[in-house]
Amino acid sequence: MTTRNADLAVRARGLAKAFGETRAVDGIDLDIPTGSICAVLGPNGAGKTTTIRMLATLLRPDAGTALVFGHDVAHDAPAVRRRISLTGQFASVDEDLTARENLVMIGRLHGYSPAAAKTRADDLLVGFELDAAAGRLATQLSGGMRRRLDIAASIIVRPELLFLDEPTTGLDPRSRSQVWDVVRHIVANGTTVLLTTQYLDEADQLADRIAVINHGRVIASGTREELKSAVGAGGIRLRLADPSQRDRAEATLTASLTPHVMKDGDPAALRAQLPAEDLAASTNLAVQVLNQLAQEGIAVTDFTYGQPSLDEVFFALTGESTDRSEVSV
Amino acid sequence: MTVLDAEAPARPAGPVSASLTYARRSLLKIKHVPEQLGDVIGIPILFTLLFTYLFGGAVSGSTHDYLQYLLPGTLALAVVFVTIYSGVTLNRDLTTGAFDRFRSMPNWRPAPIVGALIGDVGRYLLAAGLVLGLGFLMGYRAHGGVLGVLFAVGLVVLFASALSWAWTTLGLLLRTPTAVMNLGFVILFPVTFVSNVFVAPDTMPGWLRNVAEANPISHLVTAARDLMDGTPAGHQAILVIGTAAVLIAVFAPLTTLLYQRRE
């Protein structure tokens, strides 16, 4: 074991897993430094959950190796399990138990005495603002509460590495920011977090490093700044008054700024990445594009300028839309 | 958030403690979702009432005489049928996120299954209690006394617990809970009916009689009958305990192996 490896919470090389003909994970390399938050960003079916399940010792890799704090997930699973905690994509709480019973049960499994497990459960219920719902069955909790309960169960004993599989998918904005706060606190306490997400803004808000995956491979990784500059500082979306002018508008955009122009499912809409390195230049380009369209008599009803969406990051990285139905348009 | 920094226990729960924690989980589920006991309550009542009043007169000349013969049989039958749900429940549990968490915890791996089977003993006792309660109401008299009845129930529950490992094996091999239940009933119906539960095997044609007399269910029912009637049951009871040991020796390792290899 080299010193460098010891600083890594996760070190995966060529990790692969196939289900029948489908190569769910097709050679993933991943390094996660201890104490950081890494986001694995990708669309549905990209291989995010399969990757997490291999790292959490629930699936055996077909090929490749993965070390969690230096312990091989395939050959030293018990050592890995002592250091990790898993919050699955579908809430990993027992739906037929109350919030409190769920926490007490996990506490007992971790080795707390019955009394200590109850105390710990009550402390966590208060800390996660779940005390009012302590006696409710998990099925009767709102999506946000269930997620918080799920995360609370994952940190009854502080894990060295916490897996969060799509922790905010399906949550309303308020619940989502509550989950984000919890994750930040957990990391501040020294836990390394690996989270998967479909949302660039989530990765942006939380992660030190982002790995973008598609078709079971890492297609880009780095800090958010590195990733964004690779994609372009910003993007624009516009909607035309007359859909028949879309081809002309596309030609204009392509000529004046970038090859990264894509048609949307909406027949009147276009999207484009701005290639400029800095924000001022990006803003300038966006204004020019709008001017140019106006001069050519192409009326725009909607115009947004902002951070690239996941779809645009994907398009920039792969030349392929995340939504297959849009490719054929 | 100070709750993040609690002192951790020295080590995770050992095999016994983890299994008992999961057993408690099963019992809590019964408490919160009592309707899941529908099968446990329905099967014993249905079998006891239906067979006594439907066939009692034809088989024994009177329903009362038949009940004396039948009740230890329906006791065994009802509990044995309830064991299928161990496989059904495990199969359903495996698809939940909760089981992913259990499997990624640093405890003895089979603990969730062992715990669930310990919890199932509660269901068996409930099913046994219902059959006995109903039988006594209908006029059954146990000449073996309280002790005889308790031993009979103990033997039936022991056999059921051993048999439940066969269903957990099936629960790991089949895809859906419904498939487990269907196959379970398809297996159990002939196995339980070609026995001495409902009629004495000496009324059967020779070949069927041989099958019925060799059937472990027959040994179980004979032992339960003898215990409840107050006649010596030593030989049959030992056969039942031996069968239970074989079932556990075959299916417990098989279940564990399949569970460990499951992805």
Side-chain angles (χ1 to χ4, degrees):
Chain A
M1 191 68 35
T2 67
T3 4
R4 197 181 153 280
N5 282 352
D7 297 335
L8 290 176
V10 173
R11 183 178 191 276
R13 288 292 175 272
L15 213 52
K17 182 77 194 176
F19 299 108
E21 296 289 293
T22 317
R23 299 165 80 95
V25 171
D26 195 12
I28 277 188
D29 295 345
L30 201 58
D31 282 344
I32 304 176
T34 300
S36 68
I37 307 187
C38 172
V40 171
L41 179 69
N44 278 330
K48 301 189 296 290
T49 298
T50 306
T51 304
I52 278 202
R53 289 175 64 86
M54 282 193 279
L55 294 175
T57 74
L58 296 176
L59 281 179
R60 273 183 310 278
D62 292 339
T65 57
L67 303 180
V68 171
F69 299 106
H71 301 279
D72 192 302
V73 294
H75 303 118
D76 199 2
V80 173
R81 286 184 206 128
R82 275 196 292 276
R83 290 167 174 81
I84 61 164
S85 221
L86 170 74
T87 301
Q89 185 172 359
F90 306 104
S92 347
V93 293
D94 199 315
E95 301 194 329
D96 297 335
L97 302 189
T98 66
R100 189 164 185 267
E101 285 165 355
N102 262 292
L103 296 181
V104 172
M105 173 176 68
I106 303 293
R108 293 283 291 134
L109 293 171
H110 275 298
Y112 280 109
S113 70
K118 284 177 186 142
T119 310
R120 182 77 182 120
D122 289 335
D123 288 350
L124 281 162
L125 288 166
V126 172
F128 281 76
E129 294 173 40
L130 290 164
D131 41 330
R136 265 196 262 162
L137 294 186
T139 35
Q140 297 163 349
L141 299 179
S142 70
M145 289 169 118
R146 261 173 83 147
R147 269 294 164 186
R148 294 209 302 280
L149 176 62
D150 214 335
I151 296 173
S154 287
I155 59 158
I156 285 177
V157 167
R158 191 182 71 77
E160 292 174 54
L161 171 62
L162 173 63
F163 296 108
L164 295 171
D165 197 3
E166 302 204 9
T168 66
T169 298
L171 295 191
D172 60 67
R174 184 169 163 271
S175 306
R176 172 185 280 199
S177 72
Q178 280 181 325
V179 169
W180 287 352
D181 281 344
V182 168
V183 175
R184 287 193 190 100
H185 279 294
I186 292 169
V187 174
N189 267 265
T191 293
T192 308
V193 171
L194 169 55
L195 69 91
T196 69
T197 180
Q198 304 187 39
Y199 309 118
L200 184 66
D201 64 328
E202 181 158 274
D204 202 1
Q205 284 278 336
L206 290 177
D208 303 307
R209 296 185 67 81
I210 300 169
V212 183
I213 73 169
N214 193 27
H215 298 312
R217 285 174 176 278
V218 176
I219 55 173
S221 68
T223 64
R224 34 190 169 187
E225 289 76 20
E226 286 167 356
L227 208 64
K228 277 190 205 164
S229 64
V231 172
I236 56 170
R237 299 144 190 264
L238 48 87
R239 196 159 189 284
L240 307 176
D242 178 1
S244 70
Q245 292 180 317
R246 185 158 81 156
D247 287 342
R248 263 178 62 213
E250 189 187 8
T252 309
L253 258 63
T254 308
S256 67
L257 45 91
T258 163
H260 296 312
V261 178
M262 63 195 286
K263 286 177 176 157
D264 210 285
D266 175 352
L270 277 175
R271 287 181 276 171
Q273 266 91 53
L274 297 170
E277 294 293 316
D278 65 296
L279 274 174
S282 273
T283 315
N284 207 9
L285 265 170
V287 173
Q288 279 177 30
V289 165
L290 208 52
N291 262 328
Q292 215 156 349
L293 289 172
Q295 275 165 26
E296 293 183 25
I298 299 172
V300 174
T301 58
D302 265 313
F303 183 86
T304 25
Y305 163 69
Q307 211 185 54
S309 70
L310 173 58
D311 211 22
E312 287 152 352
V313 170
F314 258 80
F315 186 69
L317 291 169
T318 64
E320 165 184 345
S321 165
T322 52
D323 182 353
R324 304 288 158 74
S325 65
E326 289 180 18
V327 177
S328 58
V329 171
Chain B
M1 228 190 260
T2 51
V3 289
L4 295 172
D5 236 0
E7 198 175 324
R11 63 182 64 83
V16 174
S17 171
S19 300
L20 291 177
T21 301
Y22 286 117
R24 191 179 145 72
R25 165 180 177 260
S26 299
L27 297 177
L28 284 172
K29 278 171 173 282
I30 292 176
K31 181 178 141 197
H32 293 307
V33 197
E35 54 272 30
Q36 63 170 303
L37 287 177
D39 50 279
V40 180
I41 294 166
I43 292 174
I45 293 177
L46 200 68
F47 281 3
T48 308
L49 286 176
L50 208 62
F51 286 103
T52 303
Y53 293 118
L54 208 58
F55 301 128
V59 176
S60 299
S62 84
T63 51
H64 180 263
D65 287 348
Y66 187 55
L67 184 64
Q68 282 300 124
Y69 179 81
L70 177 72
L71 196 83
T74 48
L75 171 70
L77 189 68
V79 176
V80 162
F81 265 94
V82 170
T83 59
I84 296 178
Y85 291 88
S86 300
V88 175
T89 312
L90 174 63
N91 185 285
R92 193 180 295 131
D93 261 355
L94 288 170
T95 60
T96 62
F99 245 64
D100 276 356
R101 183 196 294 283
F102 299 158
R103 296 199 320 135
S104 66
M105 289 195 61
N107 300 110
W108 184 52
R109 271 212 141 184
I113 296 181
V114 174
L117 294 185
I118 295 171
D120 282 343
V121 170
R123 300 160 81 96
Y124 305 150
L125 289 173
L126 184 66
L130 275 164
V131 173
L132 288 172
L134 188 63
F136 290 135
L137 281 179
M138 289 162 67
Y140 177 78
R141 292 293 167 261
H143 303 296
V146 177
L147 217 55
V149 172
L150 288 181
F151 275 122
V153 170
L155 201 61
V156 168
V157 170
L158 172 80
F159 181 82
S161 300
L163 182 63
S164 59
W165 283 102
W167 305 126
T168 52
T169 301
L170 209 60
L172 284 155
L173 288 172
L174 299 181
R175 284 191 197 185
T176 64
T178 321
V180 179
M181 188 163 350
N182 289 345
L183 188 56
F185 276 100
V186 164
I187 294 171
L188 269 193
F189 262 107
V191 170
T192 50
F193 276 67
V194 183
S195 72
N196 62 358
V197 170
F198 301 107
V199 291
D202 47 24
T203 61
M204 300 174 190
W207 60 273
L208 193 62
R209 178 182 168 174
N210 290 339
V211 175
E213 280 175 349
N215 188 342
I217 299 286
S218 297
H219 300 312
L220 176 64
V221 172
T222 306
R225 236 171 230 154
D226 289 346
L227 285 165
M228 289 169 77
D229 285 346
T231 47
H235 173 64
Q236 295 290 328
I238 287 166
L239 270 178
V240 172
I241 293 167
T243 313
V246 170
L247 283 169
I248 293 175
V250 173
F251 289 108
L254 205 54
T255 295
T256 309
L257 186 75
L258 287 169
Y259 179 67
Q260 303 272 30
R261 304 184 117 220
R262 190 188 166 83
E263 299 206 319

